[in-house]
Amino acid sequence: MKDMSATDVHASAREHVLRYHDGSSRRVLVTDVETPFPAGELIVSQTDPSGIITMCNDAFVLMSGYAREALLGTPHYILRHPDMPAVAFQGLWETVAKGEKWHGYVKNLRSDGGFYWVYATVVSNIRAGKLVGYSSVRREPSRAKVRELGSLYENLLAQERGLGAST
C-alpha cells in the first residue's frame, strides 16, 4: 500500500503515519472535507480472513474514492482514519471472533484525504464450519450519534496516545 502524496488531496492536509496490526505503516494526508453518505445506498464489501478486500459494490468504490482495481486485493484498513481509536476496532474483532454480529460507527478515510462516517455491521462468513472471510454492510449514520461518538473517539484516541482526555 503506497503512501499518500500532496497530489492525492484537494485541500490543505495534516500528515499522519498510521501503523497497522500487521506491522506495516503508511503516511496519510487528512483533510476536514466530509463526503456525505449517499441517501438510500448501502456500502458492501467482503474480505478474506486476513481482511483483504475480495468484493466491493459501486457505493463502496464511490465513497472510498479509490478505483475498484485499487481496492481489490488490498487490506480493508486502507480506509482507516487516524481519528479512529484502536479500541474501537479491538471491540469489532473480539465480537466477530466469537461468531457474533458487530455494529458500530466508523469514520473512514477517503483516497483524497477526506472522510465519511458509516454505521457498519460486520459478520463472519462461515462455510462448512470454517471461517472464509467477513462481510460488512454500511448504511447512513445518525448525525446525532456521529457528533456524540466524534467526541468520545477523540478522548479515547488521546488516552491511547498518553495525552489524557481532551476537553
Side-chain angles (χ1 to χ4, degrees), residues 1-4 16-18 20 25-28 66 78:
M1 212 171 11
K2 72 178 187 75
D3 289 342
M4 293 175 78
H16 295 268
V17 175
L18 294 178
Y20 303 107
S25 64
R26 180 170 84 122
R27 178 179 156 258
V28 296
Y66 289 96
I78 192 170

Side-chain angles (χ1 to χ4, degrees), residues 37-88:
F37 196 96
E41 293 288 333
L42 294 175
I43 297 173
V44 180
S45 62
Q46 292 181 342
T47 70
D48 69 11
S50 299
I52 304 299
I53 300 169
T54 58
M55 185 284 291
C56 54
N57 72 348
D58 291 342
F60 184 100
V61 173
L62 174 72
M63 289 303 290
S64 73
Y66 289 96
R68 185 180 314 274
E69 299 75 28
L71 291 166
L72 296 175
T74 301
H76 205 285
Y77 60 63
I78 192 170
L79 301 175
R80 183 175 148 209
H81 195 284
D83 288 351
M84 285 297 299
V87 70

Side-chain angles (χ1 to χ4, degrees), residues 36-43 105 117-120 138-143 146:
F37 196 96
E41 293 288 333
L42 294 175
I43 297 173
Y105 286 81
W117 281 92
V118 299
Y119 179 69
R138 277 85 76 202
R139 65 180 192 249
E140 187 171 5
S142 154
R143 294 313 298 179
V146 165

